[in-house]
Amino acid sequence: MAKEGDTQFTFPGPTRETVVLDWTGLTALAPPVDCHVHLALDGVDFAAARRRWDTPGEITSQVQNALQDTLRHGILAVRDGGDRAGIALRFRNLVTGGAMAGPVVRAAGFALRKPGKYGSFLGRGITAGELDSALDNLVRHGVNQVKVIVSGVVSFTDYGRVGALQYTAGELATLVKGAHNRGLPVMAHASSDAAVAMAVRAGVDTVEHGYFLTRNTLELMAEKGIAWVPTVIPVAAQLHNRAGNGTDLAQPYVIEKTVDRQLAMINEAVALGVTLGVGTDAGAAGVRHGYGYLEEMALYRQAGLSPAQILQCATVNGARILGLDWGRIEPGRPAALIALKGDPLQEIDALRNVQYVIVP
Ligand SMILES: [Zn+2]
């Protein structure tokens, strides 16, 4: 609520005032959710973003911009996949406390990864023997979920190549059990079918990326109720070479083939009844917060999903993956709602025209 004399528009904030909004001609919609972002990065320049981590004023305006761009696109909740400095977690606390405007933020804090393997910007290396105390540390920090790095990343130059596995199957299973015992769901960064299958057998709650997974693994995910966040845009964006730094080494045909395979598996996942979320990996090279979401949805359309199916992934499935209780709108209950011009059931691109957002 704005205090007297405030010139700043404070948002969101509790209000008991009745506000009348004229939504004539607009479509009201449950809010889209971005299931995978990195608020500590901006998707423009990785090195510059990392340098801002050490300068409070600069990182604050970077994250503020990211949160505003997210809201402007009608995305009312994001799930952050972690950063080594715990930046997303800090800004989650500011947003949750009402000190900063933004969508609902769910944060993993820092990611769990093996020393010497991929992901140094996501978290420091943690040996199998240190996992228990690392989980306790995450609980002390009040994270919403645990992020574990199961494999490296997808190659942009050699089709089908993925960075090495990190924890063993046994270590991963112990980690997942430890997280669940502490009441925390687990999001697993995993590409290659071996990595995804290992994560699925270990009982993680969501598979992130999941490049090169097979139909068998998807069937197992459907059976176990494990959701998939396929993050196509961070790979597809390499085609446009927007990142500039080093990714000019990407081979266009490798990128195209990798994206095509992922789109085919997305189509198959829906047919098999796998819960599919929409996640952009915003902050990754070439993926800006908010903007990347429209591109990710366009890719789902390219995969053959109908606008209704994409909206189901973006809204209902997203809320479920984040554990948000956003199902009902009734007096006295905080509502999460957006209004836009056009009919997104006819054309998913209508999400470009968000007019109002109501953040719970
Ligand atoms: Zn990520």
Side-chain angles (χ1 to χ4, degrees), residues 7 122 165 190 235 328:
T7 48
L122 296 168
L165 292 172
V235 174
R328 286 174 297 154

Side-chain angles (χ1 to χ4, degrees), residues 6-351:
D6 269 359
T7 48
Q8 284 262 311
F9 172 56
T10 60
F11 175 80
T15 176
R16 290 182 179 281
E17 291 160 37
T18 303
V19 180
V20 179
L21 301 172
D22 183 2
W23 283 9
T24 308
L26 300 181
T27 305
L29 190 71
V33 171
D34 193 333
C35 292
H36 192 131
V37 304
H38 295 276
L39 289 173
L41 300 171
D42 64 1
V44 178
D45 188 332
F46 180 82
R50 275 213 65 165
R51 280 195 297 273
R52 287 184 205 109
W53 291 10
D54 303 320
T55 317
E58 288 187 14
I59 189 62
T60 298
S61 65
Q62 180 195 301
V63 176
Q64 230 160 4
N65 287 339
L67 294 171
Q68 289 299 329
D69 284 343
T70 303
L71 278 185
R72 204 169 293 133
H73 285 86
I75 300 153
L76 299 199
V78 298
R79 188 174 61 144
D80 191 279
D83 61 84
R84 189 185 181 117
I87 283 163
L89 190 62
R90 208 161 76 223
F91 285 92
R92 180 209 64 180
N93 292 344
L94 290 176
V95 172
T96 308
M100 187 178 278
V104 170
V105 179
R106 294 282 196 251
F110 51 87
L112 303 180
R113 55 175 273 270
K114 265 255 168 102
K117 298 274 173 77
Y118 164 77
S120 61
F121 67 101
L122 296 168
R124 70 174 179 88
I126 289 168
T127 64
E130 296 170 323
L131 282 173
D132 228 35
S133 61
L135 286 170
D136 285 338
N137 192 18
L138 287 170
V139 169
R140 270 196 301 278
H141 279 89
V143 302
N144 302 104
Q145 78 265 329
V146 169
K147 166 85 174 284
V148 61
I149 312 291
V150 180
S151 73
V153 289
V154 169
S155 168
F156 296 150
T157 52
D158 294 319
Y159 179 74
R161 188 161 62 80
V162 172
L165 292 172
Q166 303 209 358
Y167 297 107
T168 66
E171 289 163 355
L172 189 62
T174 307
L175 184 163
V176 172
K177 209 169 158 205
H180 287 170
N181 285 342
R182 290 166 173 84
L184 295 171
V186 178
M187 62 190 289
H189 165 118
S191 282
S192 85
D193 192 54
V196 177
M198 192 167 101
V200 166
R201 286 196 205 96
V204 303
D205 298 271
T206 64
V207 168
E208 311 295 310
H209 319 303
Y211 281 83
F212 307 111
L213 52 62
T214 60
R215 185 187 167 89
N216 278 350
T217 303
L218 279 176
E219 280 171 355
L220 200 57
M221 287 167 70
E223 195 185 305
K224 296 183 84 164
I226 295 172
W228 184 27
V229 181
T231 65
V232 194
I233 187 61
V235 174
Q238 303 308 316
L239 271 184
H240 310 300
N241 200 16
R242 283 175 295 181
N245 48 354
T247 49
D248 46 333
L249 297 171
Q251 298 290 333
Y253 77 93
V254 172
I255 302 296
E256 270 168 22
K257 208 170 154 187
T258 305
V259 167
D260 283 351
R261 187 181 191 284
Q262 190 77 331
L263 296 183
M265 297 319 283
I266 285 173
N267 194 293
E268 204 148 339
V270 171
L272 291 170
V274 174
T275 301
L276 202 63
V278 178
T280 58
D281 214 356
V287 187
R288 288 180 59 197
H289 293 271
Y291 298 90
Y293 203 87
L294 294 166
E295 299 174 271
E296 184 74 7
M297 287 195 299
L299 286 161
Y300 279 36
R301 194 83 184 93
Q302 211 178 306
L305 273 60
S306 69
Q309 285 173 318
I310 298 170
L311 287 177
Q312 156 96 27
C313 296
T315 61
V316 181
N317 294 2
R320 196 187 123 190
I321 287 168
L322 268 68
L324 299 166
D325 179 23
W326 276 5
R328 286 174 297 154
I329 294 168
E330 52 191 47
R333 187 185 160 90
L337 203 61
I338 67 171
L340 45 86
K341 276 186 191 160
D343 181 359
L345 283 173
Q346 295 302 317
E347 190 37 73
I348 197 71
D349 222 38
L351 279 149

